[in-house]
Amino acid sequence: MPECTMIEAIRMALSRALKEDPDVIIFGEDVGIDGGVFRATDGLTQRYGASRVRDTPLSETAIAGMAVGAAAHGLRPVAEIQFTGFLYPALDQLANHASRLRNRTRGRLTCPLVLRAPYGGGIKAPEHHSESTEAMLAHIPGLRVVIPSSPARAYGLLLAAIRDPDPVVFFEPKRLYRAIREPVEDDGMALPINKAVLLREGADVTLVAWGAMITEANEAADQLAEMGISADLIDLASLKPLDRGTIRSSVEKTGRCVIVHEAPLTAGLGAEIAADLAEHCMTSLLAPIRRVTGFDTVMPYFRLEAHYMPDAARILKAVHNVMEFA
Amino acid sequence: MPECTMIEAIRMALSRALKEDPDVIIFGEDVGIDGGVFRATDGLTQRYGASRVRDTPLSETAIAGMAVGAAAHGLRPVAEIQFTGFLYPALDQLANHASRLRNRTRGRLTCPLVLRAPYGGGIKAPEHHSESTEAMLAHIPGLRVVIPSSPARAYGLLLAAIRDPDPVVFFEPKRLYRAIREPVEDDGMALPINKAVLLREGADVTLVAWGAMITEANEAADQLAEMGISADLIDLASLKPLDRGTIRSSVEKTGRCVIVHEAPLTAGLGAEIAADLAEHCMTSLLAPIRRVTGFDTVMPYFRLEAHYMPDAARILKAVHNVMEFA
Amino acid sequence: MPIQADHELSGVTVFLDPAGLPVLDLPRFARHRETLVALYSAMVRTRTFDAKAISLQRTGRLGTYASSLGQEAVAVGIASAMSDEDVLLPSFREHGAQLWRGVSLEEMFLFWGGDERGNDFAVARQDFPVCIPVASQFPHAAGVALAMVQKGEPGVAVAVGGDGATSKGDFYEALNMVGIWTLPAVFVIANNQWAISVPRVDQTRARALADKAVAAGIPGEQVDGNDVIAVREAIERALVRARSGKGGTLIECLTYRLGDHTTADDASRYRADEEVSSHWSEEPLVRLRAYLVAHHGWAKKDEEALLHGCRDQIEKAAEAYLATPPQPVRSMFEYLYADPTQDQAAQAGELGDA
Amino acid sequence: MPIQADHELSGVTVFLDPAGLPVLDLPRFARHRETLVALYSAMVRTRTFDAKAISLQRTGRLGTYASSLGQEAVAVGIASAMSDEDVLLPSFREHGAQLWRGVSLEEMFLFWGGDERGNDFAVARQDFPVCIPVASQFPHAAGVALAMVQKGEPGVAVAVGGDGATSKGDFYEALNMVGIWTLPAVFVIANNQWAISVPRVDQTRARALADKAVAAGIPGEQVDGNDVIAVREAIERALVRARSGKGGTLIECLTYRLGDHTTADDASRYRADEEVSSHWSEEPLVRLRAYLVAHHGWAKKDEEALLHGCRDQIEKAAEAYLATPPQPVRSMFEYLYADPTQDQAAQAGELGDA
Ligand SMILES: Cc1ncc(C[n+]2csc(CCOP(=O)(O)OP(=O)(O)O)c2C)c(N)n1
Ligand SMILES: Cc1ncc(C[n+]2csc(CCOP(=O)(O)OP(=O)(O)O)c2C)c(N)n1
Ligand SMILES: [Mg+2]
Ligand SMILES: [Mg+2]
């Protein structure tokens, strides 16, 4: 089985989707001959034609709005927003239309679109290129929000997103685009987009993370293992709707939970997870639920970026803190 | 002291701000001769001139962006977005600019703007006219988010928002615009916009709410009192930054907490409050933290709206649930 | 050496003047009595619906309602030019277009009565529901048109918005997309001179809203929006053009909002009665009726039969609407996703047996 | 009777052709050697800065950088026409304008080196920092202009964006605001023919980007953006117009991006080398140098002194930048609000002693 990076896995999934379903269409800024600024669509316009892999003008609002219209009229648009920081102009269409069209028309018109965007920090990018806005999107009823953390999951989740009958926001942790290689079979098998993934099993503490934070959490778990502390590591993968069951079961077992995300603390998605546990698993909790997150400030320009991003050291500190709680 | 409604109190505060500071300027759709669709600016353009109270074209993005530019260049713009449902096109300017300008320039340029918008449901309005998006905004570092729940607080908080050196999103629960009257002195006294308000004191349970949900929570507290259960009722008032201290102290005292908001449950601001308590007040908690919120679905068209909105009955149910927890 | 908007406005297309006198040779379709009667009847039906909707709202039996009084020719003109395979993307004031397309009176009442079932059109199933966020329907239309191109369908996407809508970025971005991809889309502006309280002159300094087409490199034109013949003729031309692969057109229909913005509005706060009354002389029904009387023997009894028929139909639809029980409360969870989620199941539980 | 964009383009303003031959009488300011040398020197300085920035980036000592190679005349032309009381709102490719306005080389390096202190300009304190979200600076400019009007200041807000920026709704909404309120704002489009990999023809079907002014009812014009004299002359006219209360102007500067989009881009993926080399013959430095040589005795030694001076200055600034220690980590909390919040205090605590 070929080893590949996340960006290659994404390209493979996009290519397969274009091949298997003539209604799939890709559009966005620079997705054509340039192949996307991260090369997610490299070679696709050459292979499937410029009418199926289309460069758009610089118009995020229209990209999202066109995706809604095209989806409602029978296409399966996979639109790209070049960076999550430029997604805001698309929010109106996502919140006021994409997420509601099925409901508004009692199922008559639907909106099977995917909006992909490179997401998160960690690559020393310029201002506005490192945003983590998943919590805002996860608040919107009717959307799905999916974030892969490995090449294989990127492949399977993206295929699922494209085939899903409802609108999916698919955030790709750009820091992982080329950081990991793993075997990915181009077998067209989708992964479920309503399930979190238990990446490692343990007994003492539950770590919940997604995207690039999985790498940090995993490293923390390795180090904890050396200290004799074993962790469940849950990759949320699908953030909306949230797979509350998997998280609850784990915490009912371990009694301790540390949640990790890059986005700022306040009203981040970690809050929802902690709140859910506080409501439903209170009696299982042996220690307070800790969140290790980006700070409640704008991510600093890249010279200080590393100090903003949660890392294994901060996770370890939090885990020790919950382990020591008595 | 004259009794007035919330809409009158808001108008009074706007009028005072225009009078006391020549840099204050109001703009938005229909804020001029029409006085705003809810009449918040009624008479102001006549009184202060069409150059200070200005009708704009139908352009939410530009309204927000202009407010940023005008604020950075020395005005104190108070811009109106006609309904929170039409705020999405303004989000790019709020998240990418208003909230960051001070930080980006190390304090050289600042952004003392206020963005007002009628907020929330409960008036049987058409589609897209009843949104509660405070959690999305409260996630953005650098913004302030304020929601009054009574005429007097609307007056004092709005004055504070206008005088504040940073950008403030001011959401006005439209259901309360004309629902309550109370004495409001036009004395120019601002209320703090970093403090929650303890509206009533009790011993058994803490109720946290904001906006129109204060009315429901208060009614629930009345009924609880009759049953011999006494509640702390906290009006959050300032949602961002969050006054965690007031909430924690209360819950440390009562050991029980029910949070109420209109917005959908998942990733709503209630999650942040519950998460904070789960992290910091765990040992004080005598029962799980419950959230009584809008459901994770689009608010139904108004024929069923009442079934979507939290009310005293649902709050009572949750309180009984936490009281009975053993 | 500034570029100014120095091109000549080519003039406003009009066939019937306010008095119903033809000022140009009528287009072919307008030579048939049947067609003209159908157009007139649709406008009358629309206006009758409007009156009923307002009275239901005033008596607390309908929600906030946006009257199309005075603008019937725009809506009917648009829809009457369209084919079944076309898709209509209306704003909230094109009742006449929706009715012509086959949306039922009862569905219309349901929608304005706060019931999603009003959007589950039994016919015109590809048409979009009313769009409340101003101008956000224009990008949808570009997307529908794109889908039509990709699928090789012969249809055209027809989006309608107001004068206010032309100030929004999404209108412009979508117009530009239509230009760049030569999409089969027609954008219609129902310029009724007001966006709530903001008059047309305070919306933009562009000389004509149709001029905005220049920014996207597509043709734009102005028509008399109170002349249903002119509207239909212009839309037909634009549809033919789009269908033949030549791309989109922007059409500005000059009309006037004779009523309040909605039932929640009081237009007397911001515009003079005289202005309104002066526009009554230009409204669309009078002129077509005058023409029908003069040229096609439209008689008093025809008029009465029509009015009576409309009222009857509309009363029946209103009764059916009023008799329709609300949806079950749980319906609020049933159409959000194709498959209900775990959260929703849990939350639906909270509703108890409602 | 469609309205087409049938007005004549009034032609592109140009004074010096690519060979440096005057094709029109030069404007008054361009008759002074001093002025021309200042313009030329600023362009050379900009290009030298550019080369240094790229080399720092290539060696890992600067972040992703957007070169302005070939576009120096746009930036310098704009800034040289502006007064101190005006406000510049640049995109990310107007290094030459920022430098002319007084932003220091060291500040520029700091910004592109990922340090917010680079935006705390010691002079030009009202100017905006570089705007990364494309086109979002245009509404700011409308707001700055509005503030100037309200405060009775004589300034003009000058915003600059690329050809790609003209497709965004915020550009259009802001342009419309400038029109409607007759604001003292000049919107400049640096049309370098590419938006990353998307060529101008795929950005819009509008014949000229300057034509988009028609949609807002304000004047638009095209100038040769490789002729610094033409840029400055046009901006000056627009500034005079704005200052005299006549409102805004849209100016499209036709230029060419000779380099990659940024250091993260590889333009050879999407455009032919021949296209690029053909544009080298039109670049802005050559023609002004030729004119200076022919008419103002600009000698080899002048050129060498200039180059040497620029390099020297820039090397020194780069050294100072490289020697600047990062800000304390806690600085990330210190500028968000006027008064730090409780949350921030708690979170700053997590940073420990960093
Ligand atoms: C984006 C947005 N902003 C504001 C509103 C509130 N609003 C509803 S209709 C309207 C005016 C619309 O004017 P126009 O486009 O001319 O259409 P008309 O109502 O005249 O038919 C406004 C401001 C809205 N629905 N959507
Ligand atoms: C809103 C937004 N979308 C996308 C991007 C990513 N991006 C940065 S520059 C650019 C192209 C800009 O083209 P143009 O406006 O012509 O300016 P140029 O780069 O040519 O100077 C894009 C797509 C962005 N910065 N902002
Ligand atoms: Mg209108
Ligand atoms: Mg460009």
Side-chain angles (χ1 to χ4, degrees):
Chain A
M1 207 158 30
E3 296 242 321
C4 66
T5 60
M6 186 181 285
I7 197 80
E8 289 161 353
I10 287 167
R11 195 184 307 135
M12 213 152 78
L14 291 172
S15 179
R16 174 167 284 266
L18 284 163
K19 192 160 45 187
E20 78 184 11
D21 183 349
D23 288 332
V24 170
I25 175 174
I26 291 177
F27 52 80
E29 295 156 16
D30 306 295
V31 301
I33 183 153
D34 195 31
V37 292
F38 289 101
R39 310 288 174 252
T41 53
D42 194 14
L44 299 181
T45 196
Q46 291 86 339
R47 185 143 166 217
Y48 298 98
S51 82
R52 294 190 66 202
V53 183
R54 287 179 180 241
D55 278 330
T56 62
L58 214 161
S59 305
E60 281 79 7
T61 305
I63 289 172
M66 265 199 316
V68 170
H73 202 71
L75 294 188
R76 298 212 161 233
V78 182
E80 178 176 310
I81 298 290
Q82 206 160 72
F83 288 88
T84 32
F86 311 130
L87 181 96
Y88 296 106
L91 265 179
D92 184 37
Q93 286 291 343
L94 290 176
N96 275 338
H97 291 296
S99 64
R100 302 183 183 209
L101 196 54
R102 178 189 291 279
N103 185 67
R104 293 176 69 211
T105 60
R106 302 285 92 171
R108 181 172 62 85
L109 296 177
T110 63
C111 209
L113 66 83
V114 176
L115 210 98
R116 297 176 41 245
Y119 149 92
I123 62 160
K124 287 183 170 289
E127 266 193 287
H128 295 108
H129 282 71
S130 304
E131 326 302 302
S132 297
T133 46
E134 69 272 22
M136 296 173 117
L137 293 151
H139 189 45
I140 300 171
L143 291 187
R144 291 185 183 276
V145 181
V146 175
I147 304 183
S149 71
S150 80
R153 273 194 297 289
Y155 177 84
L157 290 169
L158 183 51
L159 277 181
I162 296 172
R163 293 175 192 159
D164 193 81
D166 290 307
V168 182
V169 174
F170 193 85
F171 279 167
E172 303 165 2
K174 59 176 94 74
R175 184 181 176 181
L176 299 186
Y177 269 153
R178 296 184 164 77
I180 325 168
R181 290 193 163 271
E182 70 180 6
V184 183
E185 181 91 72
D186 187 7
D187 56 5
M189 295 280 283
L191 289 169
I193 50 170
N194 56 0
K195 283 258 167 292
V197 186
L198 189 59
L199 286 185
R200 54 197 287 168
E201 283 198 67
D204 303 316
V205 62
T206 300
L207 300 178
V208 183
W210 52 91
M213 288 299 104
I214 289 294
T215 314
E216 301 298 325
N218 204 35
E219 191 184 318
D222 281 344
Q223 294 185 32
L224 288 169
E226 283 172 27
M227 302 171 205
I229 299 171
S230 74
D232 265 11
L233 172 56
I234 295 176
D235 175 5
L236 219 46
S238 296
L239 283 71
K240 170 81 169 192
L242 198 56
D243 176 7
R244 299 172 190 272
T246 297
I247 308 170
R248 289 181 197 165
S249 313
S250 170
V251 174
E252 277 158 14
K253 174 181 71 177
T254 63
R256 292 177 169 90
C257 185
V258 172
I259 304 157
V260 189
H261 60 68
E262 284 182 45
L265 177 89
T266 296
L269 194 67
E272 180 57 40
I273 298 165
D276 187 72
L277 294 172
E279 180 156 4
H280 296 282
C281 303
M282 192 207 181
T283 50
S284 311
L285 284 173
L286 304 171
I289 303 159
R290 293 263 183 257
R291 290 177 284 163
V292 179
T293 70
F295 298 116
D296 279 317
T297 188
V298 177
M299 182 182 281
Y301 289 9
F302 58 81
R303 241 176 143 181
L304 295 183
E305 178 184 14
H307 297 275
Y308 179 90
M309 303 272 289
D311 57 13
R314 281 180 62 203
I315 299 170
L316 278 179
K317 213 162 132 184
V319 171
H320 288 311
N321 184 294
V322 299
M323 294 309 298
E324 282 153 20
F325 185 84
Chain B
M1 205 156 38
E3 297 242 318
C4 67
T5 61
M6 185 179 287
I7 198 79
E8 288 162 354
I10 287 167
R11 195 185 308 134
M12 212 151 78
L14 291 172
S15 179
R16 175 168 284 267
L18 284 163
K19 192 161 45 189
E20 77 184 11
D21 183 349
D23 289 332
V24 170
I25 176 174
I26 291 176
F27 53 80
E29 295 156 16
D30 307 294
V31 301
I33 182 152
D34 194 32
V37 293
F38 289 101
R39 311 287 173 253
T41 54
D42 194 14
L44 298 182
T45 196
Q46 291 87 338
R47 187 146 166 214
Y48 298 98
S51 82
R52 294 190 66 201
V53 183
R54 287 178 179 242
D55 278 330
T56 61
L58 214 161
S59 304
E60 281 78 8
T61 305
I63 289 171
M66 266 200 314
V68 170
H73 201 72
L75 294 187
R76 298 210 162 235
V78 182
E80 178 176 311
I81 298 290
Q82 206 160 71
F83 288 88
T84 32
F86 311 130
L87 182 95
Y88 296 107
L91 265 179
D92 184 37
Q93 286 291 343
L94 289 175
N96 276 337
H97 291 296
S99 64
R100 303 184 181 207
L101 196 54
R102 178 190 291 279
N103 184 68
R104 293 177 68 212
T105 60
R106 303 284 92 172
R108 180 172 62 84
L109 295 177
T110 63
C111 210
L113 65 83
V114 176
L115 210 98
R116 297 177 41 246
Y119 149 92
I123 62 160
K124 287 185 169 289
E127 265 194 287
H128 294 109
H129 282 70
S130 303
E131 326 302 303
S132 296
T133 46
E134 69 273 23
M136 296 173 119
L137 292 152
H139 188 45
I140 300 171
L143 291 186
R144 290 183 183 277
V145 181
V146 174
I147 304 183
S149 71
S150 81
R153 274 195 295 290
Y155 176 85
L157 290 169
L158 182 50
L159 277 181
I162 296 171
R163 293 175 191 158
D164 193 81
D166 291 306
V168 182
V169 174
F170 194 85
F171 279 167
E172 302 165 3
K174 59 176 94 72
R175 184 182 176 181
L176 299 185
Y177 270 153
R178 295 182 165 79
I180 325 169
R181 289 193 164 271
E182 72 180 4
V184 183
E185 181 92 72
D186 187 7
D187 56 5
M189 296 279 284
L191 289 169
I193 50 170
N194 55 0
K195 284 257 166 295
V197 186
L198 188 60
L199 286 185
R200 52 197 289 168
E201 285 199 63
D204 304 316
V205 61
T206 300
L207 300 178
V208 183
W210 52 92
M213 289 299 103
I214 289 294
T215 314
E216 302 298 326
N218 203 34
E219 191 183 317
D222 281 344
Q223 294 186 33
L224 289 169
E226 283 172 26
M227 302 171 205
I229 299 169
S230 75
D232 264 10
L233 172 56
I234 296 176
D235 176 4
L236 219 46
S238 296
L239 284 70
K240 170 83 167 192
L242 197 56
D243 177 6
R244 299 172 190 272
T246 297
I247 308 170
R248 289 182 197 163
S249 314
S250 170
V251 174
E252 276 157 14
K253 174 181 70 175
T254 63
R256 292 178 169 90
C257 186
V258 172
I259 304 157
V260 189
H261 60 68
E262 283 182 47
L265 177 89
T266 297
L269 195 67
E272 180 57 40
I273 297 165
D276 187 72
L277 294 171
E279 179 155 6
H280 297 281
C281 302
M282 193 209 182
T283 50
S284 310
L285 285 172
L286 305 171
I289 302 159
R290 294 261 183 258
R291 290 177 284 164
V292 179
T293 70
F295 298 116
D296 279 316
T297 189
V298 176
M299 182 182 282
Y301 289 8
F302 57 82
R303 240 176 144 182
L304 296 183
E305 177 185 16
H307 298 275
Y308 179 91
M309 303 272 289
D311 58 13
R314 280 181 61 204
I315 299 170
L316 279 179
K317 213 164 135 184
V319 171
H320 288 311
N321 185 291
V322 300
M323 294 308 298
E324 283 154 21
F325 186 83
Chain C
M1 291 143 223
I3 297 169
Q4 297 270 4
D6 55 3
H7 56 293
E8 281 298 296
L9 280 177
S10 330
V12 177
T13 307
V14 54
F15 292 96
L16 287 189
D17 79 2
L21 300 173
V23 295
L24 276 182
D25 277 354
L26 298 199
R28 186 179 298 260
F29 71 79
R31 296 182 200 151
H32 305 289
R33 183 182 197 272
E34 243 171 287
T35 309
L36 292 179
V37 168
L39 293 172
Y40 180 66
S41 304
M43 294 198 292
V44 168
R45 189 156 165 255
T46 304
R47 190 168 290 184
T48 316
F49 168 76
D50 216 83
K52 182 67 188 179
I54 291 176
S55 98
L56 286 173
Q57 192 282 334
R58 296 286 182 232
T59 50
R61 293 175 295 167
L62 204 77
T64 304
Y65 173 74
S67 158
S68 72
L69 186 67
Q71 304 179 214
E72 296 87 351
V74 176
V76 169
I78 292 169
S80 63
M82 291 172 66
S83 307
D84 285 353
E85 69 248 27
D86 300 329
V87 168
L88 177 71
L89 299 101
S91 97
F92 39 79
R93 220 183 281 285
E94 284 74 47
H95 317 305
Q98 294 191 292
L99 289 170
W100 185 288
R101 298 275 301 162
V103 178
S104 74
L105 289 160
E106 204 180 320
E107 285 163 353
M108 304 276 289
F109 281 128
L110 274 171
F111 171 76
W112 291 98
D115 189 319
E116 290 86 350
R117 287 173 298 183
N119 284 334
D120 186 12
F121 311 151
V123 291
R125 289 192 62 77
Q126 294 305 309
D127 281 7
F128 273 51
V130 155
C131 187
I132 299 286
V134 167
S136 58
Q137 69 273 33
F138 291 106
H140 301 163
V144 169
L146 175 63
M148 288 164 163
V149 169
Q150 294 297 115
K151 290 173 165 280
E153 291 177 6
V156 179
V158 181
V160 194
D163 40 309
T166 65
S167 296
K168 273 197 73 221
D170 35 12
F171 163 75
Y172 168 76
E173 290 194 9
L175 198 72
N176 195 50
M177 287 285 186
V178 167
I180 209 74
W181 286 345
T182 321
L183 295 174
V186 178
F187 285 9
V188 188
I189 302 305
N191 175 2
N192 64 5
Q193 312 301 335
W194 291 90
I196 309 187
S197 71
V198 178
R200 157 66 182 85
V201 295
D202 291 337
Q203 200 59 244
T204 181
R205 286 285 179 270
R207 286 178 317 165
L209 302 178
D211 265 9
K212 302 207 173 216
V214 169
I218 67 171
E221 79 176 270
Q222 288 187 307
V223 304
D224 184 333
N226 292 337
D227 176 6
V228 69
I229 297 172
V231 175
R232 173 160 168 173
E233 191 271 342
I235 303 283
E236 271 184 5
R237 267 188 289 112
L239 289 171
V240 167
R241 188 171 176 276
R243 256 187 264 286
S244 68
K246 297 204 182 99
T249 306
L250 176 66
I251 296 177
E252 176 186 4
C253 303
L254 297 163
T255 180
Y256 191 82
R257 197 192 80 204
L258 289 170
D260 292 332
H261 169 69
T262 64
T263 50
D265 177 53
D266 171 9
S268 72
R269 293 176 61 87
Y270 52 79
R271 65 176 186 185
D273 286 351
E274 305 80 70
E275 179 187 314
V276 182
S277 32
S278 80
H279 281 280
W280 268 103
S281 63
E282 297 169 352
E283 64 92 11
L285 273 62
V286 166
R287 67 175 80 180
L288 184 53
R289 183 167 56 235
Y291 183 81
L292 279 171
V293 169
H295 298 267
H296 291 290
W298 183 255
K300 202 163 173 208
K301 69 164 191 340
D302 295 323
E303 181 76 14
E304 275 164 10
L306 171 62
L307 283 177
H308 188 270
C310 285
R311 285 202 198 109
D312 203 51
Q313 248 190 348
I314 284 166
E315 285 304 323
K316 287 215 178 85
E319 273 163 39
Y321 151 67
L322 291 170
T324 308
Q327 299 171 86
V329 176
R330 274 161 195 274
S331 68
M332 75 169 88
F333 293 108
E334 282 163 14
Y335 300 93
L336 193 67
Y337 297 96
D339 306 305
T341 67
Q342 293 168 7
D343 281 359
Q344 290 182 311
Q347 292 176 20
E350 278 193 57
L351 291 172
D353 295 324
Chain D
M1 292 143 229
I3 297 169
Q4 297 270 6
D6 56 2
H7 57 292
E8 282 298 296
L9 280 179
S10 331
V12 177
T13 307
V14 55
F15 291 96
L16 286 189
D17 79 3
L21 300 174
V23 295
L24 276 182
D25 277 353
L26 297 199
R28 186 181 300 261
F29 71 78
R31 296 182 201 152
H32 305 290
R33 183 182 198 270
E34 245 171 285
T35 309
L36 292 179
V37 168
L39 293 172
Y40 181 65
S41 305
M43 293 198 293
V44 168
R45 189 155 166 255
T46 304
R47 190 169 289 184
T48 316
F49 168 76
D50 216 85
K52 183 68 189 177
I54 291 177
S55 97
L56 287 173
Q57 192 282 334
R58 296 284 183 234
T59 50
R61 292 175 296 167
L62 204 77
T64 304
Y65 174 76
S67 158
S68 72
L69 186 67
Q71 304 180 213
E72 296 87 352
V74 176
V76 169
I78 292 169
S80 64
M82 291 172 66
S83 307
D84 286 353
E85 69 247 27
D86 300 330
V87 169
L88 178 71
L89 299 102
S91 97
F92 39 79
R93 221 183 279 285
E94 284 74 48
H95 317 304
Q98 293 190 294
L99 289 170
W100 185 288
R101 299 275 300 161
V103 178
S104 74
L105 289 160
E106 204 179 319
E107 285 163 353
M108 304 276 289
F109 281 128
L110 274 172
F111 171 76
W112 291 98
D115 188 320
E116 290 86 350
R117 288 173 298 184
N119 283 335
D120 187 11
F121 311 151
V123 291
R125 290 192 60 79
Q126 295 304 309
D127 282 7
F128 273 53
V130 155
C131 188
I132 300 285
V134 166
S136 58
Q137 70 273 32
F138 291 106
H140 302 163
V144 169
L146 175 63
M148 288 164 162
V149 169
Q150 295 296 115
K151 290 172 164 280
E153 291 177 6
V156 179
V158 180
V160 195
D163 40 310
T166 64
S167 296
K168 273 196 74 219
D170 35 13
F171 162 75
Y172 167 75
E173 290 193 9
L175 197 72
N176 194 51
M177 287 285 186
V178 166
I180 209 74
W181 286 345
T182 320
L183 294 174
V186 178
F187 285 9
V188 188
I189 302 306
N191 175 2
N192 64 5
Q193 311 301 335
W194 292 89
I196 309 186
S197 71
V198 178
R200 157 66 183 84
V201 294
D202 291 336
Q203 200 59 244
T204 181
R205 286 284 179 272
R207 286 179 316 166
L209 302 179
D211 265 10
K212 302 206 174 218
V214 169
I218 67 171
E221 79 176 271
Q222 289 187 307
V223 304
D224 184 332
N226 292 337
D227 177 6
V228 69
I229 297 172
V231 175
R232 174 160 167 173
E233 191 271 343
I235 303 283
E236 271 183 4
R237 267 189 289 111
L239 289 171
V240 167
R241 188 170 177 277
R243 256 188 263 285
S244 68
K246 299 206 183 97
T249 306
L250 176 66
I251 296 177
E252 176 186 2
C253 303
L254 296 163
T255 180
Y256 192 82
R257 198 192 80 204
L258 289 171
D260 291 332
H261 170 68
T262 65
T263 50
D265 177 51
D266 171 9
S268 72
R269 291 176 63 85
Y270 52 78
R271 65 176 186 183
D273 286 352
E274 304 81 68
E275 179 185 316
V276 182
S277 32
S278 81
H279 281 279
W280 267 102
S281 63
E282 298 170 352
E283 65 92 9
L285 273 61
V286 166
R287 68 175 81 180
L288 184 53
R289 183 166 55 235
Y291 183 81
L292 279 171
V293 169
H295 298 268
H296 291 291
W298 184 257
K300 201 163 175 207
K301 69 164 189 342
D302 296 323
E303 181 75 14
E304 275 164 11
L306 172 63
L307 282 177
H308 189 269
C310 285
R311 284 200 198 111
D312 202 50
Q313 250 190 346
I314 285 166
E315 285 305 323
K316 285 213 179 86
E319 273 161 39
Y321 150 66
L322 292 168
T324 308
Q327 299 172 88
V329 176
R330 275 161 194 275
S331 68
M332 74 168 90
F333 292 108
E334 283 164 14
Y335 300 93
L336 193 67
Y337 297 96
D339 305 306
T341 67
Q342 293 169 9
D343 281 359
Q344 291 182 309
Q347 293 175 20
E350 279 193 56
L351 290 172
D353 295 324

